[in-house]
Amino acid sequence: MREQGVDVFDGNGALGFSFSRNNDNGPVYGERLVTLISSSLYAEATGGPWVAPPSYSQEVAAVPPSTRPAPTPIAPAPKAEEEDKLSSGTGYFVTNSGHIVTNHHVVKSCSTIAVFSGDQPAAEGRLIGSDETNDLAVLKTDLKLTKVANIRIGARLGDPIAVFGYPLSQVLASSGNFTLGNITALAGMRDDTRHLQISAPVQAGNSGGPLLDASGNLVGTIISKLNAMRVVQATGDMPQNVNFAIKSSVVASFLESRGISYETNATSNALAPADLADHAKALSVMILCK
């Protein structure tokens, strides 16, 4: 059924107007409605041709797979301008011997690595293993520690989570930053099953930090965020809190491949947010790369 108009007369004048339309051709409003009515009246009065309304083009909300923006690794946060050769990131303890997990991109170009934990003086971080493909690295330090991460494998969609790290260290508090959110997808960009998507806000410098569940168990390692500007350019829409973490199962495999034992004493007792923040801070470190 094509769009068409029908005018009704009784011999003395027009009584009314009705029209029908093809539902497959898009909504009838604005210029389409005006054209439909006026062309029908014109055709009825003059015997002229009926004029089709202009076509409607529906905006595509999703980004075509071939043009989807890739996630952007959260770059290590630069220090002050006079220290432009320094950058910072985050890590967390996985053994009582001082092993620390972070991202490969946090330490890949470092000539020296300094690690800070609480009020202790900076300690040297020695790179003992790296996995560029999965963006993971493990350091060794002589720092004293009070907590290590308990790795939990098998996070669920919708689980509440927490992120601790040292983002934008040249601007924000040097004591660290704690944010809350949820697991919003069990895969990353292009269905990358190594990753989790999370809603907790992260910034430059959060890279390598722990992703914890409500009980303080480690379920991932922060890795990247969606490049908002590229998404805006591709879709016209600004994404909000679309960030990614490496699953704890990938972290566990990475540590096993290097013969490093890790804790798996996951608990199920939910912590109050303030207690969860204290726990996260105790097992996290700031990493300064030069």
Side-chain angles (χ1 to χ4, degrees):
M1 178 177 64
R2 69 177 178 87
E3 294 164 329
Q4 56 184 338
V6 178
D7 307 297
V8 182
F9 293 85
D10 66 353
N12 296 318
L15 291 177
F17 175 86
S18 66
F19 67 89
S20 59
R21 56 180 284 269
N22 184 338
N23 291 331
D24 294 333
N25 289 339
V28 177
Y29 57 80
E31 185 181 358
R32 288 176 61 81
L33 184 59
V34 171
T35 303
L36 179 61
I37 295 174
S38 63
S39 65
S40 179
L41 288 172
Y42 174 80
E44 182 69 27
T46 67
W50 183 83
V51 180
S55 62
Y56 168 77
S57 176
Q58 184 175 2
E59 180 180 355
V60 178
V63 186
S66 61
T67 60
R68 287 179 183 171
T72 301
I74 310 170
K79 299 297 286 183
E81 291 183 5
E82 64 272 16
E83 300 177 310
D84 59 358
K85 293 184 179 180
L86 299 180
S87 62
S88 64
T90 305
Y92 56 90
F93 288 109
V94 289
T95 73
N96 288 309
S97 301
H99 291 93
I100 294 169
V101 167
T102 187
N103 285 147
H104 167 79
H105 75 259
V106 169
V107 295
K108 67 176 180 179
S109 301
C110 304
S111 57
T112 60
I113 302 171
V115 181
F116 300 81
S117 176
D119 296 328
Q120 298 182 64
E124 177 189 4
R126 301 180 296 278
L127 181 63
I128 62 172
S130 188
D131 179 351
E132 184 174 2
T133 300
N134 292 308
D135 201 1
L136 289 170
V138 61
L139 310 176
K140 183 73 164 57
T141 75
D142 296 324
L143 285 168
K144 296 179 180 179
L145 59 146
T146 57
K147 289 184 181 293
V148 299
N150 282 307
I151 293 180
R152 170 196 162 201
I153 296 174
R156 299 178 61 195
L157 181 68
D159 273 352
I161 48 86
V163 172
F164 188 87
Y166 296 90
L168 301 173
S169 56
Q170 74 277 29
V171 176
L172 301 181
S174 61
S175 57
N177 191 276
F178 177 77
T179 58
L180 295 170
N182 295 87
I183 294 176
T184 52
L186 297 177
M189 292 290 291
R190 302 183 183 91
D191 289 326
D192 189 337
T193 57
R194 298 171 302 164
H195 297 165
L196 297 168
Q197 181 181 320
I198 61 172
S199 63
V202 299
Q203 314 295 336
N206 269 119
S207 285
L211 177 69
L212 305 177
D213 66 13
S215 301
N217 305 306
L218 184 93
V219 293
T221 302
I222 301 303
I223 181 175
S224 63
K225 60 192 298 183
L226 196 63
N227 189 313
M229 294 308 298
R230 290 184 183 175
V231 173
V232 170
Q233 292 170 0
T235 69
D237 184 45
M238 176 69 77
Q240 298 181 13
N241 295 334
V242 180
N243 305 308
F244 302 97
I246 306 165
K247 289 181 178 179
S248 57
S249 57
V250 180
V251 177
S253 295
F254 168 67
L255 293 173
E256 289 170 1
S257 70
R258 281 147 183 83
I260 299 172
S261 300
Y262 52 86
E263 298 295 331
T264 58
N265 299 318
T267 64
S268 58
N269 298 321
L271 300 174
D275 294 332
L276 184 56
D278 287 342
H279 172 78
K281 182 176 181 179
L283 60 84
S284 300
V285 298
M286 179 179 177
I287 297 172
L288 192 64
C289 170
K290 182 175 181 181

